[in-house]
Amino acid sequence: MHPISDQIFVDGALKTARSSARITVLNPAFGHPLGQIPDGAAGDIDDAVTAAARAAPHWAATPARERGAVLTRLAGMLRDNSESFAHLDSLDSGRTLAETRAQVARSAEQLEYCAGVADKLEGRVVPLGGGLFAATILEPYGVVAALTPWNAPLLQIAQKTAHALAAGNTVVVKPSPLACFSTLQYAVLAGEAGLPAGALNVVTGGAQPGGVLVADERVGKVTFTGSIATGRNIASVCGGRGAAVALELGGKCPLLIFADCDLRKAAQDAASAAFGTTGQSCVSAARILIEASCYDDFVALLVAASERFIGGDPLQPATIMGPMITRAAREHVKELVDDAVDTGAQVVGGHWPQTFEPDGGFFMNPVLLANVPDPARVNHEEIFGPVTCLEPFADEASAIVAANAGPYGLAAGAYTGGAARARRLQHELRAGSVWINCYKLLDPALPFGGDKASGIARECGIDGVLSFVKTKSLVEAFSLQN
Ligand code: NAD
């Protein structure tokens, strides 16, 4: 499967874009070009929304079980092409083959889950009495705009389209220009699976076509996954024109280590939580809070567990950590570490300073920071790289206060041997997902999304599909006399 260069997918077919502007997509492991994508023009977005709006009534009227059958077929075709999709996403996003293979499998499961929900989206009869028949029905939004980030290209698009299409919407996708080749291939495959022309459209490009799409009055709902700054911008545009918006945004997730846990297992899991995907996951453990009585022992175990995270070619089976997505992303993370060290933080593990090749791949190896003074930027900004900050805590109450501090609330984790403490933490930690004695356990059946600044939406689970329908209330007066 080769990168699809120079084309967009509109109204059921790959097309030459109206825009003549092109973006060169780089392979982050080697720094060389993988291909070119159109930087979509307003006319490309207009074509895609027109196709989606035309297809919307037919797709909404298609029996839910038939919509589900198309998604189930698509899931099977993804599995049949698993290696090709995994290879393409690894080339494009720099994620290891183990990660991208798992994401293809998850994408198929997500489609199957939503396919199963499609014919269970039911309204209710509401017993108002008094000669009134009242009921609710669920209706799709019509055209949904999906804007996705680069860090899980296939899974992001499978997740958003599975929900939206199952619920009877049509979709225009504007994927990240940094990694979008699998999105185009997915759209081609969806057509082969029986999705009607216009039900799924993909326009590539950067912020400009994204902005045009979000502002299009024919788009009933915008579903966005990406950074907090972009999400807020999009929400204000949607708010201004009264469109529904769902935001899945950035995080700065705390992982709490209590002295009564299995420290060895916790250290292994914490290293993966912080450095898996080169720290470029919204739920990366950017802060590890450690009970003071086990601080030294745990840090020694964590430093040792982190040693195996060394950047390498994501297509080699032995590689467990790929590169960062761009040179600029790596520069940003380097600046955060430099700033922390300048303000007095100590590097207690990993590699610092690091030598960065001026040409070649955008690799960066793990850095473990301790005693980071509060003003340091790394304490406040999303890191999105292989850097974690270690902090001791005295007791459970202070750990909870520290974990809940700050504007983020995407996910939190804790390792503890205490069952009662586990229950308390589940209630007290302010985050959309709380993992106890495990981390980043995601499932198509389990709603996922952020609290506080990390988002206003849930994807996955029944809640995820329900977020792509509107409830309409119906009331009919009838005579009780005859
Ligand atoms: P980003 O915000 O830079 O871009 C996301 C998408 O929005 C891209 O398609 C981009 O082209 C588009 N875009 C940018 N500016 C726009 C504008 N003004 N109008 C319309 N569209 C615009 O994010 P990114 O760098 O691609 O992804 C990394 C971020 O995504 C991190 O903050 C990460 O935490 C977050 N993320 C969150 C989740 C989640 O589920 N909460 C999952 C993955 C990534």
Side-chain angles (χ1 to χ4, degrees), residues 40-85:
D44 295 312
I45 294 291
D46 184 54
D47 290 347
V49 177
T50 301
R54 199 185 309 121
H58 168 68
W59 183 244
T62 301
R65 209 165 295 156
E66 282 179 34
R67 293 200 303 264
V70 173
L71 299 184
T72 304
R73 264 198 305 280
L74 178 55
M77 293 166 79
L78 272 186
R79 286 205 181 88
D80 292 345
N81 291 279
S82 171
E83 275 307 291
S84 303
F85 271 101

Side-chain angles (χ1 to χ4, degrees), residues 256-262 291-294 393-400 413-429 434-437:
L256 281 56
I257 308 295
F258 288 88
D260 61 3
C261 77
D262 175 346
E291 192 164 7
S293 60
C294 69
F393 64 80
D395 54 26
E396 184 184 314
S398 58
I400 291 168
Y415 281 74
T416 176
R421 170 180 285 145
R423 293 295 106 69
R424 287 194 295 274
L425 292 170
Q426 285 164 350
H427 286 282
E428 297 294 333
L429 290 173
V434 176
W435 296 300
I436 305 286
N437 296 328

Side-chain angles (χ1 to χ4, degrees), residues 78-100:
L78 272 186
R79 286 205 181 88
D80 292 345
N81 291 279
S82 171
E83 275 307 291
S84 303
F85 271 101
H87 193 271
L88 191 58
D89 259 1
S90 285
L91 265 183
D92 206 6
S93 71
R95 292 186 79 137
T96 64
L97 264 184
E99 290 171 330
T100 53

Side-chain angles (χ1 to χ4, degrees), residues 147-152 156 159 174-178 205-212 214 224-231 233-234 247-251 281-283 382 384 410 448-450 454 459:
L147 295 106
T148 53
W150 63 267
N151 67 331
Q156 279 292 335
Q159 200 160 295
K174 209 298 292 163
S176 166
L178 300 176
Q208 197 163 352
V212 174
V214 167
F224 171 80
T225 300
S227 63
I228 290 178
T230 309
N233 194 328
I234 285 173
L247 304 175
E248 301 276 357
L249 306 178
S281 163
C282 53
V283 294
E382 185 180 26
F384 224 58
L410 190 55
F448 177 80
S454 291
E459 286 186 357

